[in-house]
């Protein structure tokens, strides 16, 4: 009997410690900016995107990439065009579990939307996923460049004006 009690107590204790750890890790992430590694990876990707824009379109662009922790958790990111300012906003909450997806899939996808604004094309057709947008997305080495996304697709973004 004593033996089972010890095993039971051990499991309970381990579970509690695990919960505390997960909670701590979560709140640590929430209350802190993105790690330097992640920031460097975003910067590296941005450099590549700027180079590809220059190579394909002969344009030198500098589109701010904002990391926002106030946007809805379902939204990965979006491109905006407001008062002549073009920006890309990425959801900070999404970097925790899906960092590579954010950098390799979402960022080039949104960059292509931002480039549509640069070209003065603000069509709402198909959520901005026009053939022209697709061509830009592919030219930017995008992976998520399909024009007709599936329901429940991981890309829950919107184009905002
Ligand atoms: Zn899109």
């Amino acid at each position: 009997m004593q033996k089972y009690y010890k095993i039971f107590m051990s499991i309970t204790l381990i579970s509690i410690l695990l919960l505390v750890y997960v909670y701590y890790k979560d709140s640590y992430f929430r209350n802190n900016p993105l790690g330097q590694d992640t920031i460097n990876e975003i910067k590296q990707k941005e450099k590549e995107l700027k180079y590809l824009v220059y190579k394909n379109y002969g344009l030198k662009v500098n589109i701010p990439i904002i990391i926002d922790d106030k946007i809805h958790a379902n939204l990965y990111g979006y491109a905006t065009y407001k008062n002549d300012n073009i920006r890309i906003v990425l959801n900070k909450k999404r970097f925790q579990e899906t960092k590579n997806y954010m950098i390799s899939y979402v960022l080039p996808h949104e960059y292509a939307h931002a480039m549509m604004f640069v070209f003065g094309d603000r069509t709402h057709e198909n959520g901005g996923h026009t053939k022209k947008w697709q061509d830009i997305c592919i030219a930017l080495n995008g992976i998520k460049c399909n024009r007709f996304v599936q329901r429940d697709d991981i890309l829950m973004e919107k184009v905002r004006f």
Side-chain angles (χ1 to χ4, degrees), residues 35-46 103:
Q36 196 56 45
D37 286 0
T38 306
I39 292 168
N40 289 343
E41 279 181 59
I42 296 168
K43 288 212 159 104
Q44 193 56 39
K45 188 69 183 175
E46 183 188 14
I103 293 170

Side-chain angles (χ1 to χ4, degrees), residues 109-110 113 127-129 133 155 157-159:
H109 179 113
E110 298 308 332
H113 281 304
H129 303 114
W133 164 84
L155 259 179
E157 50 93 48
K158 280 192 188 99
V159 180

Side-chain angles (χ1 to χ4, degrees), residues 1-14:
M1 200 58 203
Q2 185 73 9
K3 192 179 141 202
Y4 289 113
Y5 179 75
K6 271 188 181 162
I7 291 170
F8 175 77
M9 282 310 285
S10 302
I11 291 170
T12 308
L13 202 69
I14 290 166

Side-chain angles (χ1 to χ4, degrees), residues 6-132:
K6 271 188 181 162
I7 291 170
F8 175 77
M9 282 310 285
S10 302
I11 291 170
T12 308
L13 202 69
I14 290 166
S15 306
I16 290 169
L17 286 174
L18 210 65
L19 268 172
V20 169
Y21 171 72
V22 166
Y23 177 79
Y24 173 78
K25 206 169 136 246
D26 244 42
S27 72
Y28 177 83
F29 184 84
R30 266 202 308 273
N31 298 320
N32 283 277
L34 289 180
Q36 196 56 45
D37 286 0
T38 306
I39 292 168
N40 289 343
E41 279 181 59
I42 296 168
K43 288 212 159 104
Q44 193 56 39
K45 188 69 183 175
E46 183 188 14
K47 225 167 131 184
E48 179 195 325
L49 290 165
K50 283 162 116 174
Y51 166 75
L52 288 170
V53 166
Y54 185 70
K55 192 180 127 200
N56 286 284
Y57 306 103
L59 289 172
K60 285 191 172 168
V61 292
N62 195 11
I63 301 164
I65 298 169
I66 315 290
I67 309 296
D68 191 344
D69 62 355
K70 307 244 168 5
I71 51 182
H72 194 274
N74 282 347
L75 196 64
Y76 284 78
Y78 57 89
T80 78
Y81 189 173
K82 223 187 241 169
N83 310 325
D84 281 336
N85 289 316
I86 299 168
R87 297 189 308 165
I88 291 165
V89 181
L90 297 177
N91 194 346
K92 184 188 162 202
K93 291 170 197 153
R94 286 286 167 180
F95 274 91
Q96 192 173 15
E97 334 99 49
T98 53
K99 182 181 80 171
N100 292 336
Y101 184 81
M102 291 299 288
I103 293 170
S104 305
Y105 288 68
V106 178
L107 184 51
H109 179 113
E110 298 308 332
Y111 219 88
H113 281 304
M115 284 309 297
M116 288 287 281
F117 296 150
V118 170
F119 292 132
D121 192 327
R122 295 167 78 165
T123 176
H124 282 275
E125 185 206 323
N126 191 30
H129 303 114
T130 58
K131 179 73 177 73
K132 188 172 160 191

